[in-house]
Amino acid sequence: MNTFKNIIAGICAVLFVISGVVALLAFNIESKVFNSATYQQVFEKQNLYERMPEILANALHTSIAEDANANPYLKPLTVENWQATITSLLPPDEIKTLTDDAFDSVFNYLNGNADSAVISLLPFKRHLAGPAGMEVVKQILRAQPDCTAQQLLQLGLGLLGGDIGLCTPPKELIGLLSPLIESQLQVMTLTIPDEVTLISGAQEYSTADPRINLDRARALMKVTPFFPLAFLFGISIFAIRSLMDWLKWWGYPFLVTGALSSLMALIGASAFGLIVQRMLQNQGAGLMPPILFSTLQEIVSAVTSQILKPVVIEGMVLGILGLGMIVVAMYLAKKESS
């Protein structure tokens, strides 16, 4: 009978190790991958906040292109124009704040705490309406081809009042046009939306909502720690009858689980990076704007490192605990035999 119980306990010990390693990985992946702080830390360490003007420019260009009531002057502006404008107008600290807010908004949506993900344009509009906006407009105009006679006539009738292309007016006219540019700039600023939508959530949790499958996968990852606890309980029921039994039957599984988890986290970063990238491809492509999604794919290795860092620490703690239990068991056995 004891042999049968030991066999069952041994099976539970093996299953504890397997499920324990999986639980450490899955639980940390779920808690880190869907936490905006993970990506903010990576952006901070790799100085990737400079990519935010490109993301914001793409979002702003798309929003204006889809808005039939947008100011005609805004329509011809390219993504490059918007990117240069945003870079010129927004200080690095405000770009960082916008980036952090954008990540918070995206992950609030993914976590079901918001119906959509947006990014605020209020800081950008505030700078655009000021003296810095005037200089940016002049820079954009200087970068365009020379104005034709028809375009100059339209400028004289009212700058940007109609559907005209961007062009460079003669140098002697720039000063004369400054008051007109300033007044039109105020009008244009009002037509720029206060925020642009990164992810639309019009059909919240409908059958077509990709977050449904994502939530199911995350729910499974969250409950993985219960499986090793169940197997640990099985070990206790079938094998533990004394302090010595407890030290050995818990110590060895703890040591092996901790060592394997730490080892896999240390040397398996590239493999886990591929897993995270595949998860993003399968679940993230339909949830995030393309420019933001491509940026996240580029930093997947750094994100993986952030995810696996607590696995290494938790594995080492578990392994040291198991080793300590084994050492105590050996000491007690030696003391009893002497």
Side-chain angles (χ1 to χ4, degrees):
M1 188 65 179
N2 287 335
T3 302
F4 175 74
K5 289 183 177 181
N6 287 338
I7 292 175
I8 299 298
I11 294 174
C12 288
V14 172
L15 292 176
F16 170 84
V17 171
I18 296 172
S19 61
V21 172
V22 172
L24 279 176
L25 294 171
F27 189 81
N28 282 284
I29 287 175
E30 193 282 331
S31 63
K32 290 287 186 177
V33 168
F34 302 100
N35 188 339
S36 63
T38 301
Y39 302 88
Q40 291 169 8
Q41 291 170 8
V42 172
F43 265 58
E44 183 74 41
K45 289 182 179 180
Q46 299 199 356
N47 196 27
L48 292 174
Y49 282 102
E50 60 190 26
R51 292 289 303 275
M52 192 57 190
E54 180 184 359
I55 296 172
L56 184 56
N58 276 272
L60 187 55
H61 181 264
T62 301
S63 176
I64 290 173
E66 295 174 350
D67 185 2
N69 298 320
N71 192 290
Y73 180 61
L74 301 177
K75 296 285 189 179
L77 292 176
T78 63
V79 173
E80 290 74 21
N81 292 145
W82 282 118
Q83 185 174 345
T85 301
I86 293 167
T87 303
S88 300
L89 290 179
L90 292 180
D93 58 331
E94 292 196 32
I95 290 178
K96 181 180 183 300
T97 300
L98 280 177
T99 305
D100 291 343
D101 289 345
F103 273 121
D104 288 339
S105 183
V106 167
F107 286 96
N108 280 336
Y109 170 77
L110 293 180
N111 291 325
N113 299 324
D115 296 338
S116 62
V118 300
I119 182 169
S120 174
L121 297 180
L122 291 176
F124 170 70
K125 291 177 64 174
R126 185 177 65 251
H127 288 288
L128 184 62
M134 279 283 294
E135 291 303 315
V136 169
V137 171
K138 291 179 180 180
Q139 289 176 13
I140 292 175
L141 292 177
R142 293 189 191 106
Q144 310 304 319
D146 292 337
C147 292
T148 64
Q150 182 180 3
Q151 288 173 322
L152 285 174
L153 178 61
Q154 288 177 314
L155 287 174
L157 293 175
L159 181 68
L160 314 175
D163 187 13
I164 73 170
L166 295 177
C167 64
T168 302
K171 292 182 180 179
E172 55 272 16
L173 288 182
I174 288 290
L176 297 175
L177 291 173
S178 291
L180 197 53
I181 293 175
E182 185 176 3
S183 64
Q184 290 295 319
L185 194 57
Q186 298 294 330
V187 175
M188 286 186 299
T189 302
L190 293 175
T191 65
I192 296 176
D194 291 341
E195 61 184 26
V196 292
T197 301
L198 295 174
I199 308 173
S200 177
Q203 297 178 329
E204 183 188 6
Y205 284 99
S206 65
T207 55
D209 194 327
R211 289 179 295 176
I212 294 177
N213 291 333
L214 189 63
D215 286 347
R216 289 170 181 167
R218 293 180 63 185
L220 180 61
M221 297 169 79
K222 287 179 180 179
V223 301
T224 51
F226 291 102
F227 292 99
L229 289 177
F231 293 124
L232 193 63
F233 179 75
I235 294 173
S236 303
I237 293 296
F238 290 104
I240 296 177
R241 297 291 181 271
S242 64
L243 174 62
M244 188 73 70
D245 290 338
W246 175 69
L247 291 172
K248 291 189 297 184
W249 279 98
W250 278 33
Y252 284 106
F254 281 7
L255 175 62
V256 176
T257 302
L260 282 178
S261 299
S262 296
L263 186 63
M264 291 179 68
L266 286 172
I267 68 175
S270 58
F272 288 111
L274 293 175
I275 293 174
V276 174
Q277 191 170 27
R278 182 63 59 86
M279 182 185 298
L280 284 173
Q281 289 173 347
N282 291 340
Q283 303 291 345
L287 293 171
M288 302 180 186
I291 182 64
L292 182 58
F293 177 67
S294 63
T295 303
L296 292 182
Q297 283 188 304
E298 291 177 16
I299 63 173
V300 67
S301 59
V303 172
T304 303
S305 177
Q306 283 290 114
I307 294 170
L308 296 181
K309 187 183 299 183
V311 177
V312 175
I313 298 173
E314 292 163 7
M316 290 179 64
V317 170
L318 188 62
I320 291 172
L321 177 61
L323 180 61
M325 295 177 76
I326 294 170
V327 169
V328 171
M330 294 175 64
Y331 170 77
L332 292 177
K334 183 177 180 181
K335 188 176 181 180
E336 288 180 0
S337 62
S338 60

